[in-house]
Amino acid sequence: MARRFSGPSDLHLHSDHSDGTEPPADVVASAHAAGLRTIALTDHDTTSGWAEAAESTGSLGMTFLPGMELSARHEWRSVHVLAYLFDPDATELRALIDRIRSSRLTRAREMAERIGRDLDLTWDDVLGQTATGATVGRPHLADALVAKGHVRDRGEAFAGILSPGSDYYVALYAPDPVTAVAAVTEAGGVPIIAHPAGRAGLLPGPVVEGMLAAGLAGFELGHRENREPGLGELRELVRRRDLIVTGSSDYHGLGKPNLPGEHTTSDEMVARIIDRGTGSAPVFA
Ligand code: AMP
Ligand code: FE
Ligand code: FE
Ligand code: ZN
């Protein structure tokens, strides 16, 4: 068993390589200040923050797990697949990531254009809120709307202008959850469904079974968005099938109220993830 790390562990953190507001080094420093000793960086659809994060965890005596939150979609609901210890160069996963990222760009431009017909907002305003090379998303549109004084914060933007029911909304391409889980598995990674019991409720049973057959390792049961009764059902499922259970903050810097370490993952579960991942290696302290 891999035991060369120590807790507490938070395996779901975002930097400005996607929709967090801090560079990876600052995310690591925030996590360290919160008392965490093992972390994973899980930016949406990118691995570009790994090197900086690993350098920072190294200098602070922490353990780093390479991770990502891969976008997927079942019908109209978005599904987030946390992926750990995968090979970032694996062909199929690489192709999925490239397609998602290119769709994210087209989609964000289209949304900015639609909004710009009614409000003072340009694509340049959105780019001004997006770190170079970052995975662009609605949070960056939200930040541009805040900067222009159209809304108070990201929450208000998501509740109105950027909501799926809005005329400004454009969907992004995302693979179905089974395809996403299979690609992570194929890349030697450990796929875990993020915030699986959120407001939209649980995914249908057949989709869950399909994901498990494709290599799904477990569920992020410790997350502020999970709620009953779905959470109870998943607790029962993970117990019956002996799946991995994680708990994490989903920290986004100032982009969300979530704080590092507000949920954590047990040493036993971190060890199971490390034992199962074969596509890339943890960076031990
Ligand atoms: P997108 O993937 O571009 O459609 O945007 C979804 C992202 O927006 C998710 O990764 C969330 O982290 C973020 N998000 C969703 N709702 C909110 C909210 N109310 N406040 C801040 N961020 C949010
Ligand atoms: Fe996010
Ligand atoms: Fe998510
Ligand atoms: Zn997340």
Side-chain angles (χ1 to χ4, degrees), residues 4-46:
R4 295 164 56 205
F5 65 93
S6 55
S9 306
D10 184 340
L11 305 185
H12 187 168
L13 304 159
H14 294 267
S15 76
D16 66 359
H17 286 239
S18 64
D19 57 352
T21 58
E22 299 169 341
D26 294 15
V27 173
V28 172
S30 301
H32 185 265
L36 294 162
R37 291 300 172 262
T38 294
I39 62 133
L41 186 71
T42 54
D43 277 309
H44 299 281
D45 309 311
T46 185

Side-chain angles (χ1 to χ4, degrees), residues 89-255:
D89 297 321
T91 317
E92 205 186 315
L93 182 58
R94 188 73 257 163
L96 278 187
I97 295 170
D98 290 347
R99 185 166 172 203
I100 295 166
R101 288 174 58 83
S102 117
S103 160
R104 281 180 162 286
L105 204 55
T106 326
R107 173 262 202 154
R109 280 187 91 127
E110 172 65 23
M111 283 186 73
E113 203 168 292
R114 289 188 187 188
I115 296 167
R117 288 177 204 145
D118 292 337
L119 299 173
D120 172 25
L121 188 90
T122 65
W123 178 238
D124 271 347
D125 295 330
V126 180
L127 286 180
Q129 300 297 326
T130 311
T132 309
T135 302
V136 68
R138 282 182 291 159
H140 304 99
L141 287 154
D143 291 346
L145 288 164
V146 173
K148 284 280 171 152
H150 299 307
V151 293
R152 234 173 352 201
D153 54 25
R154 283 188 182 183
E156 188 182 339
F158 271 89
I161 298 172
L162 303 179
S163 76
S166 152
D167 287 344
Y168 307 122
Y169 185 82
V170 179
L172 60 91
Y173 161 78
D176 71 85
V178 175
T179 302
V181 165
V184 172
T185 305
E186 159 85 12
V190 184
I192 294 190
I193 300 300
H195 38 77
R199 221 182 337 175
L202 301 185
L203 283 166
V207 177
V208 173
E209 288 305 325
M211 293 191 303
L212 287 169
L216 183 66
F219 293 91
E220 182 188 55
L221 295 190
H223 187 290
R224 64 159 69 202
E225 286 167 26
N226 287 331
R227 54 191 70 187
E228 300 294 351
L231 193 51
E233 276 185 51
L234 287 179
R235 275 202 200 94
E236 180 55 24
L237 176 72
V238 302
R239 195 190 55 74
R240 256 195 345 258
R241 310 281 276 262
D242 190 28
L243 304 174
I244 293 174
V245 175
T246 63
S248 299
S249 64
D250 205 357
Y251 180 62
H252 281 69
L254 299 174

Side-chain angles (χ1 to χ4, degrees), residues 29-94:
S30 301
H32 185 265
L36 294 162
R37 291 300 172 262
T38 294
I39 62 133
L41 186 71
T42 54
D43 277 309
H44 299 281
D45 309 311
T46 185
T47 61
S48 61
W50 286 4
E52 181 180 321
E55 194 177 311
S56 301
T57 51
S59 71
L60 290 167
M62 301 166 73
T63 294
F64 175 71
L65 265 59
M68 182 175 73
E69 191 173 12
L70 179 63
S71 302
R73 193 169 73 196
H74 173 68
E75 293 172 352
W76 293 109
R77 72 182 270 184
S78 81
V79 177
H80 285 174
V81 180
L82 289 164
Y84 300 106
L85 300 167
F86 57 94
D87 173 4
D89 297 321
T91 317
E92 205 186 315
L93 182 58
R94 188 73 257 163

